[in-house]
Structures are given as C-alpha cells and as structure tokens.
Amino acid sequence: MQPINIIGGGMAGCEVAWQLINAKIPVKLFEMRPQKKTFAHKTSLFAELVCSNSFRSHDHENNAVGLLHWEMREAKSLVIEKAYKHSVPAGSALAVDRDRFAKEISDILRSNPLVTISREEVTDLSIFGHKPVVVATGPLSSEKLVANLVKLTGEKNLAFFDAIAPIVHANSVDMRKAWFQSRYDKGETEEAKQAYLNCSLNRDEYYQFIKKLIEADKTEFKEWEKNTPYFNGCLPIETMAERGRETLRFGPMKPVGLTDPHAPGSKPYAVVQLRHENKFGTLFNIVGFQTKMKHSAQVEVFRHIPALKKAKFARLGGIHKNTFINSPRILNEC
C-alpha cells in the first residue's frame, strides 16, 4: 500500500498520522526541523507546543473547546490522550508539560513501523504528483511552501501576528510576596485550588508598571508588515496597556477572586498570575504576558512586579508572524 504523505509534524500532522496508522495505513511524515528552524520552535520534536496552554479549557459541559477535547478522546486521539497524561495544574485550563508531551508523541511515531520520517523541507507540492498528501504545516510554514500554496490556491495568503509570554524560574520568585491560589478557589482538588502562583501589586506599583510598559523599547515592524493585524487572543501586554491604563486590571491582571495572605484584610489592586510550565514546578509561565518588547526591556519592566524583582527568565517573550490560507473557502469550492 502506498503511504499517505503528511507535511508537518505539529499536533495536526501527528494526529493525522496516528489515525491513519491505527487503520493500518502507512504514512510518510515530512518535518523540516531541525534542518530548517522556525522563530518559535526550539527542538526537533514532533508536536512541540509554543505555549503550555495551547489546549485552553477542558470544561466539556460549558466550553466549546472543552467539548472538542471530549470528542477527540472519543475518537481515541493520541494528542489529547498525551495532553491529559502530561497536564500540569492550571485550574479549568488544560496546560501541559510541553517537553514531556512532545517527547512521548515523538517516541511513539518514530518507533511505529508504519511511519517513515523525512527531515526535509517541502517547498513544492507538485513533487507528489497525484499521490495523496495532507498539508499540516500550520501558521509557521516555510516561506517557500507558503509561496507555492499561494500560487496553487490563487489567493494572497492571510496572516496575523502572535506573541509568546516569558517563562521564569520558580526559585527566583519572592514567595514573601507571592502565593498559590486559583481564582475564587476553583477546583475539585487541593492541587487545582492552588494551581496559580499570584504576584500582587498595590495601586502605585500598578501604575508605575503600566508607565514602564508603555515607555519600553519594542520590536518595530517592517514597512510591509505594518498592516498585519494581531491575533486578539494573544495581544502583546504593552499593546493592551496602550489602550488605557485600566485595561490590564480588567484583563490578565484582574485581582478578583484572589486574597493575598501577606496582606490580610486588604484586596490586591492588581495581580499577575503564573502558571506551571512543567511537571516539576520549576518553571512558570507569566499568564497573558505575551510581549513584543525587546529582551533587555522585558527583564527591566517585569522586575518592577514586586514578587519578580529578582526573577530569572528561562525564556523571554517574542512576537512572530503566523501565515495561513483561507481553508474553508478553498475547500467549499472543491
């Protein structure tokens, strides 16, 4: 039997491969990393996630994303099974230990005799002729393949800017000014009720932080990039701050549902939440703090958060362009 060609070793490509090999259909999986890297990926592993919270909510009764998770489990999805296996405390969200998640999926696919892996960049779909091929390269597709897809589909590709949040080492957080608690103590277990590490700011600290955010050096877009929109679900923190000084207090820094044990009897004016990045609890992601600030500015600005005054960063934030095609329109015309 001729193998099905799959371009892209991300979550979509891995799930397609898994479903096909379970039906005893061989696949050839093309993944350009590590020969050709992307801005966001750091390893050559399959299903490497850029954000530990890529799966979002796991509430299948009240959230459409959670319902999709339930449907994937019913379909015996490899991706969702390993996501739950390698989940880390995150309240009602499904966050994962990215390294363990990607490593296990990579090991499973690499060891399956029905999977042939090719570490090369595919730049032209014509090399497959009339053979079946699945394009699952995602928004970080290589420039040459994007150009080929634009030519084939007859339309200009779509794009938006996405941002990445920083990650801090847990032992560099000042626990005299931080505490573990999920908002409104949500969660069925004690671990879930203490899923987030909270860093409070008083009124003066908050407005000083906003001022620093707005004044910080930022990555400038090239002329041809300036009309590209942001993905609203991942706006840079400083872009939100520029929309109004109170914006963050009603967004990622909202203080509701949290009680600072270090200041009994008073409510925090604003709160920065950190979410587990790995199973060991040694790394934490700063929730909602995607940024396009320059790296040196990030260190200076984020250390104005009292509990992060001596923070050490395992990864700083960044911004990158995501490219995609209008798949519904193209498929509807087929």
Side-chain angles (χ1 to χ4, degrees):
M1 183 184 295
Q2 285 290 321
I4 303 293
N5 299 291
I6 303 170
I7 312 173
M11 286 196 293
C14 290
E15 187 61 39
V16 171
W18 176 251
Q19 296 294 340
L20 286 171
I21 60 179
N22 276 343
K24 308 302 180 187
I25 301 172
V27 302
K28 186 171 184 179
L29 183 58
F30 292 83
E31 172 52 56
M32 67 182 185
R33 295 177 292 119
Q35 275 68 30
K36 183 175 178 62
K37 298 181 179 179
T38 74
F39 170 84
H41 296 102
K42 304 301 179 185
T43 76
S44 61
L45 294 173
F46 295 133
E48 179 188 344
L49 299 176
V50 173
C51 175
S52 58
N53 192 33
S54 294
F55 289 97
R56 299 165 58 195
S57 173
H58 64 68
D59 182 358
H60 70 274
E61 293 184 345
N62 301 294
N63 187 284
V65 177
L67 179 58
L68 177 60
H69 294 175
W70 181 88
E71 292 172 343
M72 291 175 72
R73 294 181 91 162
E74 289 296 297
K76 296 181 170 49
S77 161
L78 173 69
V79 165
I80 207 68
E81 177 195 339
K82 300 311 174 188
Y84 276 99
K85 178 180 177 180
H86 297 294
S87 63
V88 296
S92 61
L94 174 56
V96 304
D97 184 314
R98 295 182 298 133
D99 292 338
R100 290 186 172 195
F101 169 77
K103 185 178 185 306
E104 182 164 5
I105 288 180
S106 299
D107 290 344
I108 288 170
L109 294 180
R110 283 190 298 227
S111 63
N112 192 294
L114 290 175
V115 179
T116 301
I117 295 169
S118 176
R119 294 287 184 173
E120 62 179 285
E121 178 188 5
V122 176
T123 61
D124 190 336
L125 297 185
S126 66
I127 65 172
F128 298 105
H130 295 292
K131 297 175 182 177
V133 57
V134 177
V135 181
T137 51
L140 292 169
S141 302
S142 71
E143 297 86 351
K144 291 180 180 178
L145 181 58
V146 168
N148 183 239
L149 290 172
V150 169
K151 182 179 178 181
L152 289 173
T153 58
E155 69 168 31
K156 187 177 180 181
N157 57 289
L158 307 175
F160 59 83
F161 276 107
D162 203 353
I164 300 171
I167 296 170
V168 301
H169 289 279
N171 60 8
S172 69
V173 179
D174 187 349
M175 292 305 296
R176 296 171 300 178
K177 300 177 181 178
W179 74 99
F180 285 99
Q181 182 189 5
S182 292
R183 207 176 296 279
Y184 297 108
D185 296 315
K186 287 184 177 179
E188 297 179 0
T189 66
E190 196 60 33
E191 182 183 59
K193 291 177 181 178
Q194 299 188 35
Y196 290 86
L197 181 56
N198 302 282
C199 310
S200 68
L201 295 86
N202 62 32
R203 189 179 190 280
D204 290 341
E205 290 164 344
Y206 172 76
Y207 289 117
Q208 183 183 23
F209 177 69
I210 296 299
K211 183 174 183 292
K212 292 288 183 181
L213 268 181
I214 294 173
E215 294 175 350
D217 287 336
K218 302 169 184 73
T219 301
E220 296 297 328
F221 294 139
K222 297 179 178 65
E223 190 62 36
W224 51 272
E225 296 176 316
K226 289 184 177 178
N227 292 326
T228 302
Y230 287 116
F231 172 48
N232 283 330
C234 263
L235 282 175
I237 191 86
E238 60 277 2
T239 300
M240 287 188 272
E242 289 166 357
R243 295 181 176 182
R245 295 202 311 163
E246 301 300 314
T247 303
L248 295 181
R249 284 213 317 124
F250 289 88
M253 295 180 70
K254 58 182 178 286
V256 297
L258 298 165
T259 305
D260 186 350
H262 306 298
S266 64
K267 292 288 184 182
Y269 195 76
V271 173
V272 176
Q273 288 197 304
L274 279 61
R275 181 183 61 241
H276 285 74
E277 179 68 18
N278 61 9
K279 284 276 190 181
F280 301 110
T282 58
L283 297 174
F284 280 80
N285 186 294
I286 309 182
V287 179
F289 268 47
Q290 303 81 217
T291 180
K292 65 172 182 175
M293 287 187 287
K294 292 182 178 179
H295 282 182
S296 58
Q298 290 182 46
V299 174
E300 178 186 353
V301 171
F302 292 145
R303 284 180 176 168
H304 274 80
I305 299 166
L308 302 182
K309 188 175 182 179
K310 296 182 179 180
K312 294 180 181 178
F313 295 88
R315 180 187 79 182
L316 289 165
I319 191 164
H320 58 91
K321 189 175 182 179
N322 283 346
T323 305
F324 59 101
I325 58 175
N326 191 347
S327 298
R329 187 193 68 79
I330 294 167
L331 292 172
N332 285 336
E333 291 181 358
C334 293

